[in-house]
Amino acid sequence: FVDFRIARWNGGAWSAVGAGLSTAPTALTTFDDGSGLALWAGGTFTSSGATPLARVARWTGASWVAGPAGIATGGVNALAAYDDGSAHGLELYATGSFTLTGVPGLPNIARLRGGAWEPITLASPGIAQIGARLAVFDDQLGPGPALYVSGSFSAADGLPSMGLARYAPTGLPGCVGDPGVAFCFGDALDTQVTQVCPCANYGAPRHGCANSVNANGALLVATGSTAIDVG
């Protein structure tokens, strides 16, 4: 038995997918980069047999080929195809714990545009720590579905965001240019995500409604790990 770390099911048996991958992929999705709809894999792998790869690869139907360069170090935990409304159509997004070539720091989230990986916005610091999952969901707050990222992070695009953030489509009120939008309750800063306090007793920024115990309102924190089931 040879461990190829990825296999396919034909309805009756499992078989190898080309020469396999040097480490098990942690993300699989389908995406058309202009060469046709294909299976894409992400992870920490660096090769398929003798073929060098760089953490993202595309299956041609016969072999694994390297995805566009740009993810320099680290690994990819999730992949998703998403249209942010900027007239570029569906683009491939990746999250994990990685650096991008020529980009300082660890953005940990990026998109494939013009054949290269780039930060979601040029001024964005990305997400602090690690992105674990990506999911596209229409939360009925704007012109279309938004891209959600979950993981072990405390900030997204410089905003406090405990393990879950939303990248809003272009044109969503209050969110233009913000890859991560922190959920807040009762501070009246963003009418798109703020809940109405019963007596207009809004708390401090990123806090809940003021109360008799704390005039600033409660601050919700979370511990542990997060995951989104997109199966």
Side-chain angles (χ1 to χ4, degrees):
F1 176 75
V2 178
D3 184 4
F4 288 96
R5 298 179 179 84
I6 185 169
R8 62 184 169 195
W9 177 253
N10 64 7
W14 290 99
S15 61
V17 183
L21 298 167
S22 58
T23 61
T26 51
L28 293 172
T29 195
T30 54
F31 176 68
D32 186 351
D33 65 350
S35 59
L37 188 65
L39 177 67
W40 290 67
T44 59
F45 51 80
T46 57
S47 66
S48 174
T51 302
L53 302 175
R55 299 166 185 86
V56 176
R58 178 173 57 87
W59 173 246
T60 67
S63 62
W64 290 102
V65 297
I71 297 180
T73 62
V76 172
N77 292 330
L79 296 168
Y82 175 63
D83 182 351
D84 70 355
S86 61
H88 289 88
L90 281 176
E91 296 176 295
L92 187 63
Y93 286 73
T95 192
S97 179
F98 54 76
T99 62
L100 293 176
T101 302
V103 178
L106 286 84
N108 300 325
I109 189 167
R111 69 175 163 221
L112 186 58
R113 176 172 290 180
W117 292 102
E118 67 173 24
I120 292 179
T121 64
L122 295 178
S124 171
I127 57 174
Q129 292 88 48
I130 301 170
R133 296 289 185 270
L134 292 170
V136 178
F137 175 69
D138 191 346
D139 51 18
Q140 306 298 312
L141 292 178
L147 179 67
Y148 282 77
V149 57
S150 70
S152 302
F153 55 85
S154 57
D157 197 30
L159 298 174
S161 190
M162 298 301 294
L164 183 66
R166 181 186 75 216
Y167 173 49
T170 299
L172 182 61
C175 302
V176 176
D178 288 340
V181 179
F183 285 90
C184 51
F185 309 89
D187 62 6
L189 293 180
D190 186 343
T191 58
Q192 296 297 319
V193 296
T194 297
Q195 301 299 308
V196 177
C197 291
C199 302
N201 53 325
Y202 296 104
R206 311 299 176 189
H207 288 61
C209 301
N211 55 71
S212 59
V213 175
N214 191 334
N216 289 323
L219 176 63
L220 182 66
V221 297
T223 59
S225 59
T226 58
I228 295 177
D229 185 359
V230 295

